[in-house]
């Protein structure tokens, strides 16, 4: 079973920041938070991952709360091409695989 | 482009056919994965290969038979499939299975329809 909880769907206006929340209240100290997205009928695309500190790359920012029980993926200026299902995954030690839940369906509206 | 390619992109087959799906990665990775994604369902892990050895088979029916001849190539051989096997089949690769920071990169998938 997925260890994360995400809203089923969200809307965001084009050009605005999209903030996608994820709850992972049972996360353990050595588990990372990963984000992927899947545009309709394509393979999932890696976005970003982090352990404790906030992370930023060319695609997005990842904000992890101090207690690590939740995180937020931020797309700073959403475009129509960011419309996709976004998956938040918690993964740790050797032997653990990625477990994909239903994710959040983000619709970026013109 | 993620460095993981899959062929064919679309496949229609009858229940008595035998076909194969191919995956190739150009990332120098040592682990490769097959996932199945049925309509409106999350991705399900099917098989894992690490350094050419199969390390996981998640109770997949024997009509699906994986093959990993080297670290760059992964096949999924299909025979006597059922209509409920129609799905998007995704291949992924990573540096090696299981490290907590081991990121998987996915191919575009093969859309399989079983008639």
């Amino acid at each position: 079973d997925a260890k994360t909880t995400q809203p089923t769907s969200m809307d965001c206006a084009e050009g605005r920041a999209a903030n996608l929340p994820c709850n992972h209240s049972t996360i353990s100290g050595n588990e990372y938070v990963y984000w992927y997205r899947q545009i309709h009928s394509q393979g999932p695309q890696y976005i970003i991952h982090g352990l404790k500190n906030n992370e930023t790359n060319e695609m997005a920012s990842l904000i992890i709360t101090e207690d690590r029980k939740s995180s937020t993926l931020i797309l700073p200026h959403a475009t129509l091409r960011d419309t996709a299902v976004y998956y938040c995954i918690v993964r740790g030690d050797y032997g653990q695989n990625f477990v994909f839940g239903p994710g959040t369906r983000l619709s970026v509206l013109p | 482009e993620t460095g993981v390619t899959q062929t064919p992109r679309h496949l229609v087959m009858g229940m008595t056919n035998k076909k194969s799906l191919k995956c190739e990665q150009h990332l120098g990775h040592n682990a490769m994965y097959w996932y199945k994604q049925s309509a409106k369902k999350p991705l399900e892990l099917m098989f894992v290969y690490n350094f050419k050895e199969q390390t996981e088979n998640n109770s997949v029916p024997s009509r699906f038979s994986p093959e990993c001849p080297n670290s760059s190539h992964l096949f999924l051989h299909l025979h006597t499939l059922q209509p409920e096997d129609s799905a998007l089949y995704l291949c992924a690769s990573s540096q090696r299975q299981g490290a907590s920071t081991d990121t998987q990169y996915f191919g575009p998938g093969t859309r399989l329809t079983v008639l």
Side-chain angles (χ1 to χ4, degrees):
Chain A
D1 290 336
K3 300 180 182 179
T4 62
T5 305
Q6 299 177 252
T8 302
S9 63
M10 294 180 63
D11 291 340
C12 176
E14 187 178 18
R16 305 296 293 268
N19 296 282
L20 294 98
C22 179
N23 286 322
H24 31 79
S25 58
T26 62
I27 193 170
S28 59
N30 59 358
E31 290 183 318
Y32 282 73
V33 179
Y34 276 79
W35 283 84
Y36 281 79
R37 73 180 181 183
Q38 188 174 24
I39 296 170
H40 181 62
S41 292
Q42 298 181 22
Q45 178 188 21
Y46 166 75
I47 302 174
I48 199 167
H49 73 281
L51 182 63
K52 296 180 185 177
N53 300 321
N54 298 337
E55 302 287 344
T56 296
N57 63 21
E58 65 278 4
M59 289 184 69
S61 295
L62 174 60
I63 308 298
I64 303 175
T65 58
E66 193 168 344
D67 64 7
R68 303 209 324 122
K69 292 185 177 182
S70 65
S71 60
T72 301
L73 179 75
I74 301 172
L75 308 178
H77 305 287
T79 71
L80 299 179
R81 288 178 295 178
D82 292 321
T83 292
V85 178
Y86 287 77
Y87 300 100
C88 170
I89 302 165
V90 164
R91 181 169 174 271
D93 283 335
Y94 184 83
Q96 285 193 22
N97 290 307
F98 284 103
V99 177
F100 286 80
T104 295
R105 182 171 297 279
L106 174 69
S107 297
V108 179
L109 307 175
Chain B
E1 284 292 330
T2 62
V4 181
T5 59
Q6 291 187 243
T7 54
R9 295 293 307 277
H10 300 272
L11 178 63
V12 179
M13 60 186 289
M15 289 191 285
T16 58
N17 291 158
K18 289 184 180 182
K19 296 287 184 183
S20 296
L21 309 184
K22 179 182 176 182
C23 176
E24 184 173 0
Q25 58 94 2
H26 308 275
L27 300 170
H29 289 166
N30 297 296
M32 297 188 78
Y33 310 76
W34 280 117
Y35 289 83
K36 174 184 178 182
Q37 188 174 31
S38 302
K40 302 188 188 301
K41 288 188 176 181
L43 278 75
E44 303 170 55
L45 181 65
M46 301 175 70
F47 301 104
V48 182
Y49 279 82
N50 199 36
F51 293 92
K52 300 191 297 179
E53 297 296 321
Q54 186 180 127
T55 55
E56 293 206 31
N57 174 341
N58 281 341
S59 304
V60 180
S62 59
R63 57 186 183 270
F64 295 91
S65 174
E67 179 189 1
C68 187
N70 55 62
S71 293
S72 298
H73 294 86
L74 184 66
F75 295 90
L76 188 63
H77 304 300
L78 316 171
H79 64 98
T80 60
L81 294 192
Q82 305 298 312
E84 58 265 30
D85 296 321
S86 298
L88 181 68
Y89 288 84
L90 292 155
C91 173
S93 73
S94 70
Q95 187 60 45
R96 61 179 177 86
Q97 183 191 8
S100 56
T101 58
D102 188 44
T103 301
Q104 291 184 19
Y105 295 90
F106 286 80
T110 294
R111 173 68 62 187
L112 174 67
T113 302
V114 182
L115 301 177

